[in-house]
Amino acid sequence: MAEVDFLITLSGLGAVSDAQELRDAAMTASSTTLTSASAPFTSADVGKPIVVGGAGASGAKLVSSIASFVSATEVTLANAAGTSVTNGGAVYGTDCSAALQAGLNALVTSGGGTLVIDGLYLLASPVSKSFGGETAGIDAQLVGTGTDSAIWIGTAATADSITLNSGRLQFRDFSFVGVPGASRDARRVLNLATIAATFERCGFYGLMAQDAVVYASDSYIDTCDCIFGGCFVSSAGQGYSNSVIENKNWGGYRDEYSQFIDYGYFRGQFYSKSGFASTLGWVRADTPLGTDGARGESVFYMCGTRLDEGALHGIVAKPTTGTIAHVHLEDLRQNVTNAETGRGIHCQNVQSVVIERCWLGLASTASLLGHFQDCGTVLLDSLKLSDSVNKLSATNVTALTLKDTTGISTFTFTNVNFHPINSRYEDVSLVKDGAISDADFVAPPALGTLAFDRTNNRLYIKRVTTAGWIYFDMSGGDPLGPELVVNGTFDSGTTGWTAVNGATLSVVGGALRVTNGANGRAYQVVATVIGQTYQVSATIGGGTADRLIRVGTSQGAASYTAFTGTGGTATFVATTTNTYITLMLNSADAGKYGDFDNVSLRAA
């Protein structure tokens, strides 16, 4: 943001920095008397606005003014309480709304500049300002000095406290604070429209809103090193569909190193409108600007952010219409709700999702780290999961890659191409000793998934055109062609094999068992190319009858080769387009059996 010379202070515009907060306010329903044992009042307080949390009708906040001074511990308000309160929260002071409005007006008139929030102020009436849009070229800043700069939100519960639109604004080093005990501070604390706004080192403490604390439409929002402590979205109105920060028809959202937690401390006081419970969510990205998220403008980025539990989702990227171009989350620390339906991260209709080097934990019951629906590519890279955050859910995802992440025990996938990757082996998803099968993966691997068998030096690939796996011998020399036998390792039961002569087929100990009817057999027909050399191999296991394997041009024929004993390996040149592999028992006795395994036929 460009530096500008014009600078004004809120106090210089007539605002009085005298906002005072009570934690021991007491009122009786139908009475205008307010007492405070801390004895804060003076005769100079007469006429000042005051907001009493919970003292309004049905427990709403009471917005009034101090009508008369009785003593240091007692004043009379202009309006009677609708609800009795003891040890209640209240804020009173001089209304800064006129000065704040004058300051915003001056920024526009001067074509930009800096308004300094140079104290502790009460905002009792809403303010709003348009900064003239892009053609006006106004860069404005609202800055404070840290904990000595704050605005307490004392406007009506149905009001938008501060409305700003059509400009470029920076907020820095001051806080927005809610009235303790107020069931709602505002409809929207900050209502931003067509704004490019940056928040740096700003605090939001104990704020209860109906739609959102920060409600941004048609805007680009950056938050950096901010704290949202004890903020909540109320259940009335849109409370169960909105989050603390709402991005509607948005262009971009970016956060770095902010905190979203269910409590906060400001100037030694504790604030929490959630009562250590959880708001629906912290940040939500709704429909992006325009009609085409693929323009690449709708980028949702968070880095180093800390997020406490959200009652349903901590982070939501879910457009009402259209698609979001990109969601990128890195180095987050997120507590995940215990709710069974809770999801730490929810993305829907997002073209590209990258979540890397994030920690998710705390849930005491099994919970979802995230749900991804109707998305393009999703990469989950180097996630650290703890406690009971051990579930992953996805529906209709073009490609979901899980890289260098362990601890997920439950996968709920529908129409998902899943790619697990261990970067130690680059693009190889699994390395183990022994043959590879679907059972080695915690969720169904996608077509084309690579895995490696260290024992036999075989590189496996998930078959694309038919079920199962094929492998290439990596021991040296030219690799053999793809596996032509269907289910030669019998990981898929007896699929691909046909029984004859009354034989019964079953899988025992990972091998095919042929049990006799009379001279029992099992065979498979493999398509071959005339003149092509092939390598065939198989293992013969135990049994109660003589066992042999024949490979030939018809069922039971040994035109090419035959194996006895424990099996073997042989090569042959095909003379027909169909080659038969027959697993046989050389016995007519019913009930006799033999076991066979690792049947393979590949072009040599």
Side-chain angles (χ1 to χ4, degrees), residues 340-358:
E340 184 66 21
T341 56
R343 301 154 181 174
I345 301 164
H346 179 63
C347 294
Q348 186 169 344
N349 291 322
V350 180
Q351 297 173 31
S352 170
V353 179
V354 176
I355 302 175
E356 55 185 339
R357 301 185 307 277
C358 296

Side-chain angles (χ1 to χ4, degrees), residues 59-81:
K61 69 179 180 181
L62 175 65
V63 179
S64 187
S65 62
I66 298 176
S68 64
F69 169 78
V70 178
S71 69
T73 60
E74 181 180 331
V75 291
T76 302
L77 306 190
N79 304 92

